[in-house]
Amino acid sequence: MTHDEITPRFHPEITPSLEELEAQERRLVFGRFTYEDAWALGSLLTELARERQAPVAIDIHRAGQQLFHAALPGSTPDNDAWIARKRRVVERYGSASYLVGARFRAKGTTFEDSSRLDPGTYAAHGGSFPITVEGVGVIGAVTVSGLPQLQDHRLVVEALEAYLDKA
């Protein structure tokens, strides 16, 4: 491991503001989202995670159909359960799971205490990001589970930025 790979683990991460999280959602929008896009985005996420030896599971859903799934070494069946719970938050709120949780925290409460939703079914923890198509809206979600929630969120955002920059 290089020094840069080790250093972030020992320094607290700066929590992004609501404005920054909302700007990510406005910026990371597709012109269209096909099966090929799901495969390419999922493959990119898998490669980023493998390079970092991240013990994650990766999932891409569109309109209720799983289009991509990968489970990397170190991931567990619990990661798939977390993926489903985080994805349901995106599907219900139309926003990133991390942003939904941050909005509750900004109001001085938590998702678990105030959403009135079953925490066994929904988790407003980072790692699931809406797949938004311009002129259509949210059609699905790309989700990562296995790292601390902010790192899950950032991995998804990094992959979306890289993929959309090439499109």
Side-chain angles (χ1 to χ4, degrees):
M1 279 191 175
T2 67
H3 176 61
D4 290 336
E5 290 171 323
I6 295 169
T7 303
R9 295 184 187 150
F10 299 105
H11 296 289
E13 293 192 74
I14 297 171
T15 303
S17 67
L18 289 177
E19 294 76 20
E20 182 181 344
L21 295 167
E22 290 166 350
Q24 289 172 347
E25 289 191 0
R26 287 190 301 272
R27 188 176 72 249
L28 299 173
V29 174
F30 291 81
R32 63 189 180 108
F33 193 79
T34 65
Y35 290 95
E36 291 77 18
D37 291 315
W39 178 259
L41 176 59
S43 298
L44 173 60
L45 255 171
T46 301
E47 197 54 42
L48 288 172
R50 289 178 73 169
E51 287 171 4
R52 297 162 195 189
Q53 298 179 344
V56 298
I58 299 162
D59 176 88
I60 299 177
H61 263 70
R62 181 186 69 182
Q65 181 183 19
Q66 184 179 52
L67 302 183
F68 185 92
H69 184 273
L72 299 183
S75 65
T76 70
D78 281 347
N79 296 123
D80 290 327
W82 275 98
I83 282 171
R85 293 168 57 217
K86 293 191 269 189
R87 185 185 71 248
R88 287 185 197 108
V89 167
V90 172
E91 292 167 349
R92 184 171 184 114
Y93 288 87
S95 289
S97 55
Y98 190 81
L99 174 56
V100 172
R103 285 176 173 152
F104 279 91
R105 289 188 295 277
K107 294 177 186 173
T109 186
T110 65
F111 177 82
E112 294 77 12
D113 288 340
S114 298
S115 71
R116 304 183 74 172
L117 296 172
D118 177 6
T121 304
Y122 295 89
H125 291 257
S128 191
F129 200 92
I131 297 169
T132 304
V133 173
E134 190 176 341
V136 177
V138 176
I139 61 156
V142 53
T143 310
V144 168
S145 175
L147 301 171
Q149 65 169 330
L150 183 53
Q151 291 177 30
D152 278 348
H153 175 81
R154 287 192 168 140
L155 182 59
V156 172
V157 168
E158 179 184 346
L160 285 166
E161 288 172 341
Y163 186 76
L164 288 167
D165 281 349
K166 292 179 185 175

